[in-house]
Amino acid sequence: MKIRALLLIAIMIMGTYAMIQVFLGYDKKEVLAVLDTTKSPFSLMTFSEPSLSGAAPKIWNVDDDSEIESLLEFLQDYHVRKLKPNKINKVDDINQFIINLTDKNGDNFSIVVNEDLIIENSSLYYEVVDGPIDVDWIVQFFISNKI
């Protein structure tokens, strides 16, 4: 009888731990697994470059599918982890290099380059765990897409 009780307790503990891990989703994932949560492919890429003088940041759009695919291919080697609510800085005055990916449904992913941060629809925050992101590649990507 004691063995059954111990076995039942062990199963309950393991089950509870597994449910918590799945519910919270704080495990390491590939970036593309996070980006694939949208129902349609990305159709627009918006670049935001911080201004040096405190004026409004420079913003331009790119809707070239090959450039969007190039960025996604670059990001496929990175992994992210969802940030816990107490580690999220809710201040949205990020004055850094940002790439926004938008799909046809309006779902939006922001990639904050200097912070190694990906923001989904302004509510879910992910940190790059095997970063930092290759800034040299990103700078070249910015330059090649600058209007």
Side-chain angles (χ1 to χ4, degrees):
M1 194 66 151
K2 290 182 183 180
I3 294 175
R4 286 185 185 170
L6 289 174
L7 183 59
L8 182 60
I9 291 172
I11 290 173
M12 289 174 48
I13 290 171
M14 288 187 299
T16 303
Y17 177 76
M19 287 186 339
I20 289 171
Q21 289 297 330
V22 169
F23 178 75
L24 297 177
Y26 295 115
D27 292 336
K28 183 167 82 168
K29 302 178 191 180
E30 292 181 357
V31 170
L32 294 184
V34 172
L35 297 179
D36 284 344
T37 59
T38 63
K39 303 295 183 226
S40 63
F42 295 109
S43 58
L44 181 66
M45 191 168 34
T46 305
F47 292 91
S48 177
E49 180 180 293
S51 63
L52 299 175
S53 62
K58 297 177 186 176
I59 298 173
W60 65 96
N61 295 323
V62 174
D63 58 1
D64 183 3
D65 291 337
S66 65
E67 291 299 322
I68 294 172
E69 186 63 33
S70 175
L71 176 65
L72 294 176
E73 285 177 15
F74 167 73
L75 292 173
Q76 74 183 357
D77 295 329
Y78 291 98
H79 293 81
V80 294
R81 180 178 299 128
K82 190 188 302 185
L83 284 174
K84 295 181 181 178
N86 61 350
K87 292 192 175 194
I88 297 173
N89 182 6
K90 292 290 186 179
V91 180
D92 288 337
D93 62 345
I94 300 172
N95 190 22
Q96 300 181 26
F97 292 100
I98 299 173
I99 302 172
N100 287 310
L101 292 169
T102 308
D103 69 4
K104 293 177 182 173
N105 296 331
D107 291 326
N108 187 37
F109 287 89
S110 300
I111 301 164
V112 183
V113 177
N114 295 1
E115 295 290 326
D116 290 331
L117 187 66
I118 296 176
I119 304 169
E120 178 182 352
N121 288 329
S122 299
S123 61
L124 295 175
Y125 290 69
Y126 298 89
E127 64 180 339
V128 177
V129 294
D130 53 358
I133 294 176
D134 183 359
V135 178
D136 293 334
W137 190 93
I138 292 288
V139 167
Q140 289 301 323
F141 190 67
F142 261 85
I143 291 170
S144 68
N145 284 292
K146 194 164 187 176
I147 297 177

